[in-house]
Amino acid sequence: MKHARTSFVLLLAVLGVMALMPAFAAGTAQPITITMYSFGHNLPSGAPGKPGPDGMTHDAILPSDIVVQPGQQVTIKVINYDEGPHTFTVPSLNLNEMIQGGNEDEATGKVTPVTTTFTFTAPDKSGTYRWHCAIPCDGHAKGWAMTDSKDGPSQDGYMAGYVIVN
């Protein structure tokens, strides 16, 4: 199980890097699409969620950090495997995008993922802008992913992360 989790996280990292490659190769602020994945505790296909320091699987949106260029048009596509809705909220960028929950079959408990897409323009100024989910979630694990971290609402790397503009 640990090997499957490591392989799965590595796959997500590779996909994130591949999504960024066209923008870096172009050398200019070309439009970019970044695919993020939202996972809860009940995944189809048995893919592991993200374990926290307590050893429990917690809700997470991965990759949690994205790197973009100043002034770049950024399209975020979130594939939500969790039955609950989430948000991509960046107060400093005036963003508060709703991420639809996956469709849960009440009889089987299986969730069919739903994709939410939204677009914004990165600030012209380089900087680090924190995003978080503003909807309470992670209830199966006592809401740990939603507790405040050192940088603000929600746990970094789970239901919070950074838009890095450089």
Side-chain angles (χ1 to χ4, degrees), residues 24 33 38 43-44 46 51 63-64 66 69 73 84 91 93 106-107 117-118 120 122 128 132 137 155 161 166:
F24 290 122
T33 299
S38 174
L43 295 176
S64 57
I66 60 173
Q69 295 178 354
Q73 182 179 333
L93 298 180
E106 291 183 26
T117 303
F118 57 92
F120 67 96
T128 301
H132 69 278
C137 63
Q155 291 294 318
N166 68 15

Side-chain angles (χ1 to χ4, degrees), residues 67-146:
V67 179
V68 298
Q69 295 178 354
Q72 188 170 39
Q73 182 179 333
V74 181
T75 299
I76 304 284
K77 180 170 78 170
V78 182
I79 303 170
N80 191 358
Y81 287 86
D82 184 18
E83 72 278 4
H86 300 288
T87 69
F88 188 87
T89 302
V90 190
S92 59
L93 298 180
N94 201 27
L95 282 174
N96 189 26
E97 299 292 338
M98 176 65 74
I99 298 167
Q100 295 178 348
N103 296 316
E104 183 175 18
D105 181 320
E106 291 183 26
T108 65
K110 292 185 178 185
V111 177
T112 301
V114 170
T115 301
T116 300
T117 303
F118 57 92
T119 301
F120 67 96
T121 300
D124 290 329
K125 181 180 178 187
S126 294
T128 301
Y129 305 86
R130 190 170 190 278
W131 72 266
H132 69 278
C133 177
I135 297 176
C137 63
D138 200 35
H140 68 282
K142 300 179 184 168
W144 175 83
M146 297 302 298

Side-chain angles (χ1 to χ4, degrees), residues 1 4-9 11-12 37-51 57-58 62 81:
M1 184 68 153
R5 181 178 309 133
T6 301
S7 297
F8 188 69
V9 171
L11 173 64
L12 289 176
Y37 299 87
S38 174
F39 297 110
H41 66 288
N42 186 15
L43 295 176
S45 78
K50 186 172 180 182
T57 300
H58 294 279
L62 304 170
Y81 287 86

